[in-house]
Amino acid sequence: MRVTWTGGELGFRLDPEDEITGRAADGYPVKLAINSCALSGVPDDAHPDLFAVAAWTVVAPWTRRKITFDRAVSAEVAAALHDGWGIEAGPVGAEPRRAGRTLAISYSGGADSVAAAAVYPDAPFVHFRRVSHPRVPNRWPHYRSDVLAKLAERTGRDLTVVGSDLEFTLAEPRPGYPEHHAVAAGALLLADRLGLGGLGFGYELGSRWLGGDRYVLRYTPDNVLWAPHGAWGRLFAAVGVHIVLPVGGVSEAVTMRLAVNSDLKDQVRWCLRGTDGPCRTCGKCLYKELILAAVERRPLDTPITADRPVARKWRLPPPYGGQEMIEYGLARVPGIEHTLFAKALDHLRPTEESTSWLDHCYPPSIEEIPAPWRERAAAFMAEHVGFMTDDEIRRVETWGS
Amino acid sequence: MMRVLVPARLRKAVRTWFDARYISIADHRQDIRDALWEVQTLRREMAALQAEVERLRNARPPAADTRRAGAAAASDKTAPDKTAPDKARIDDTHRLAQETAKALDGVLQNEVLVWQAIDELRSRLTAAPTSSEERPCV
Ligand SMILES: [Zn+2]
């Protein structure tokens, strides 16, 4: 792989051993659509390591053996790429970047990132905004990135919006971040300008410790995506932008509760489709409605009926993605046995007691927050959430076994 | 252009090594020609598509939209069904747009692969002992 930056435009060329079909960090096969993308509003004089890591968040899935940057990187970044991915990186010859003092939040507007923002009320936001790629037809116009950017503006926080078409480098399964960390490409390039030493993401307990996302049912202390000692954690640390997960120790029930009780509650939006509010008809809206109904202790309120395609997976037996939250909802939503979740309820039979650990904070998640920002997170969790008991900690650590 | 006298035997050995390891340059030329042809075809289809969109836009009164026209036609059964041919054209335009976008995916991926092949060839040519300019591939 050879990468070239021209201002905020990234171009890349495959080496002979690279292929159109690559693999993301979680092993998922991904197909390349095009070898160029751009980020707007980023400086062209960022530290070379920042350009390197920003590029890596895009090209990693398609790089097999070697990456050649257009400017020399530090030995630290080359070592992190070698140790984390077995990739030979060069040329080497820059001084490493020193970490700044500021923690920014990578803000999407979803409940999890609003909760992360609530932990650090003074942290500035960097918001990634999807824009169309000039050479790739946009077949997904229902994705309302304009609405999300507007909502981010209304938070009143110090906000930097980075527009980018980098999601269109991914052809299959569909446009999206080639790696989850590509959402941070803009924040990385802005790190010198904003004096960043850390970047906070809204990844919660499920994503950090329970496999999350495409994995299910497995305790993942060494999570390759988000653990500070994982490949990505060490790479970000090498450029002085530590990955910080302010809500990494709490479930989506807690992030939901924190979000709807926060100053930013009017700007919360997890659905990417609706313009005036969530669409209420997509799979994500259904999942979040189950959690919200459980948090508010009220019956499920959804227009989705059991015969809809989006309800299909709830007629099948588990495992489900985000299963811990499904169990939490099933145990708490009144009348759930008369909804499209009836079958899932039959299979799982959770109780409030068996799911109470999801109301508290897993202490190791605080320990792994870098020192400058740890105390604030610990105090916040003690005040607003409470920590898990030893029994509850065991529930996390035996999840899926 | 610099030319260096190379013993015929060495030159032949290099050529043989070269030919055995690469897709022939003729094949590459054909690949590139194919990709260009595909791009040109798509360009024509895009132009046709744009003309069709323009025509549809001009054909209907500015305020009317398909859904309203459809609803009006459904409520008034005696009105001549003027929406049917429009619907066929819209469906056809939709199909053409989908197919064009899908075809473009292939063109863009081929472009990445063509550059990969060109770069590889170029690096081998630079590394070859004869001359970097003797056999340009594009
Ligand atoms: Zn929705």
Side-chain angles (χ1 to χ4, degrees):
Chain A
M1 184 65 70
R2 286 150 295 144
V3 307
T4 310
W5 284 96
T6 313
E9 277 173 42
L10 170 65
F12 51 100
R13 299 272 192 96
L14 304 188
D15 280 339
E17 68 275 8
D18 300 330
E19 287 176 26
I20 291 279
T21 302
R23 266 175 206 287
D26 55 8
Y28 206 83
V30 288
K31 265 195 183 169
L32 182 64
I34 192 166
N35 56 356
S36 66
C37 61
L39 295 125
S40 69
V42 294
D44 56 9
D45 59 351
H47 190 285
D49 281 356
L50 297 171
F51 277 107
V53 176
W56 184 247
T57 67
V58 176
V59 305
W62 300 288
T63 307
R64 292 283 174 93
R65 203 166 59 75
K66 184 170 180 251
I67 185 162
T68 311
F69 298 107
D70 62 349
R71 55 203 88 183
V73 298
S74 71
E76 283 74 2
V77 160
L81 287 167
H82 182 265
D83 298 348
W85 287 267
I87 296 292
E88 201 186 306
V92 173
E95 285 299 309
R97 174 181 179 271
R98 281 240 186 88
R101 307 166 70 97
T102 304
L103 172 72
I105 304 287
S106 173
Y107 183 78
S108 70
D112 301 331
S113 86
V114 168
V119 179
Y120 300 101
D122 302 323
F125 289 172
V126 181
H127 176 72
F128 180 100
R129 176 177 175 175
R130 174 190 284 192
V131 300
S132 290
H133 194 293
R135 297 190 61 203
V136 182
N138 181 2
R139 278 165 279 180
W140 298 267
H142 61 262
Y143 178 109
R144 297 305 305 263
S145 57
D146 53 332
V147 174
L148 298 175
K150 276 238 166 56
L151 286 168
E153 272 165 36
R154 281 191 215 134
T155 60
R157 290 272 184 120
D158 178 354
L159 170 73
T160 311
V161 177
V162 178
S164 178
D165 55 8
L166 67 82
E167 292 172 279
F168 291 96
T169 58
L170 189 54
E172 291 175 31
R174 69 188 68 81
Y177 303 122
E179 296 280 359
H180 293 283
H181 301 73
V183 71
L188 284 165
L189 295 180
L190 285 158
D192 286 336
R193 192 112 344 151
L194 300 175
L196 296 192
L199 186 61
F201 296 85
Y203 287 97
E204 35 59 65
L205 183 75
S207 302
R208 167 64 187 90
W209 299 98
L210 309 178
D213 221 19
R214 294 160 184 160
Y215 307 122
V216 283
L217 294 176
R218 188 159 68 81
Y219 174 57
T220 49
D222 302 325
N223 190 317
V224 64
L225 302 177
W226 305 115
H229 55 279
W232 282 102
R234 284 193 289 169
L235 181 62
F236 272 57
V239 301
V241 181
H242 293 269
I243 290 177
V244 178
L245 304 184
V247 292
V250 300
S251 74
E252 286 179 271
V254 173
T255 58
M256 180 66 86
R257 181 166 64 74
L258 294 173
V260 298
N261 289 319
S262 86
D263 295 345
L264 306 180
K265 60 174 180 296
D266 295 331
Q267 283 87 44
V268 181
R269 181 69 60 82
W270 50 77
C271 174
L272 306 176
R273 292 161 173 265
T275 47
D276 315 322
C279 76
R280 293 174 31 92
T281 57
C282 72
K284 191 163 185 195
C285 278
L286 178 60
Y287 176 75
K288 291 288 185 184
E289 166 58 17
L290 179 68
I291 296 169
L292 188 58
V295 167
E296 296 180 342
R297 298 259 174 191
R298 56 160 176 82
L300 197 68
D301 176 15
T302 174
I304 301 169
T305 48
D307 57 326
R308 302 295 305 155
V310 24
R312 202 186 96 86
K313 72 171 166 186
W314 307 115
R315 293 201 301 271
L316 306 174
Y320 310 116
Q323 182 165 319
E324 76 282 5
M325 295 318 304
I326 301 304
E327 293 187 13
Y328 184 92
L330 294 176
R332 282 170 181 73
V333 175
I336 195 74
E337 65 276 16
H338 306 301
T339 69
L340 59 94
F341 289 106
K343 273 271 177 327
L345 181 68
D346 275 346
H347 288 297
L348 295 171
R349 291 276 155 211
T351 63
E352 284 198 32
E353 211 224 323
S354 75
T355 54
S356 67
W357 57 288
L358 295 161
D359 277 326
H360 302 123
C361 179
Y362 180 58
S365 72
I366 300 297
E367 287 153 34
E368 68 178 24
I369 292 178
W373 305 293
R374 189 181 305 139
E375 206 174 300
R376 167 74 204 155
F380 182 95
M381 290 303 159
E383 187 187 342
H384 299 279
V385 183
F387 287 98
M388 290 183 181
T389 62
D390 287 347
D391 273 353
E392 291 174 333
I393 289 171
R394 244 189 311 282
R395 294 303 303 267
V396 174
E397 295 176 357
T398 55
W399 180 248
S401 62
Chain B
M1 183 189 291
M2 191 181 72
R3 282 187 178 271
V4 183
L5 209 58
V6 177
R9 204 157 40 86
L10 177 56
R11 185 183 291 235
K12 186 160 178 287
V14 168
R15 283 270 158 82
T16 311
W17 170 82
F18 211 82
D19 292 348
R21 298 198 50 169
Y22 302 117
I23 316 169
S24 76
I25 284 176
D27 280 354
H28 266 298
R29 288 225 172 90
Q30 192 55 47
D31 279 352
I32 292 162
R33 261 199 294 274
D34 287 350
L36 277 175
W37 181 83
E38 226 173 317
V39 169
Q40 271 153 9
T41 307
L42 274 167
R43 192 175 290 153
R44 278 196 297 276
E45 284 183 14
M46 288 293 276
L49 188 60
Q50 260 158 9
E52 184 65 6
V53 167
E54 201 49 41
R55 200 194 59 72
L56 283 169
R57 193 176 285 151
N58 295 334
R60 48 189 47 251
D65 83 16
T66 29
R67 223 175 302 158
R68 223 179 308 152
S75 67
D76 183 3
K77 292 275 194 307
T78 58
D81 191 2
K82 280 177 68 182
T83 59
D86 271 356
K87 187 179 178 309
R89 262 194 300 271
I90 289 163
D91 286 351
D92 201 40
T93 307
H94 179 72
R95 177 195 56 77
L96 187 57
Q98 297 278 319
E99 289 173 6
T100 306
K102 195 150 186 283
L104 189 57
D105 287 348
V107 172
L108 294 173
Q109 284 174 340
N110 279 344
E111 186 183 297
V112 174
L113 294 174
V114 167
W115 277 118
Q116 184 185 33
I118 289 169
D119 289 347
E120 187 182 7
L121 215 59
R122 201 180 269 159
S123 72
R124 304 265 175 158
L125 282 171
T126 319
T130 43
S131 160
S132 61
E133 286 171 296
E134 208 177 339
R135 298 179 65 180
C137 78
V138 280

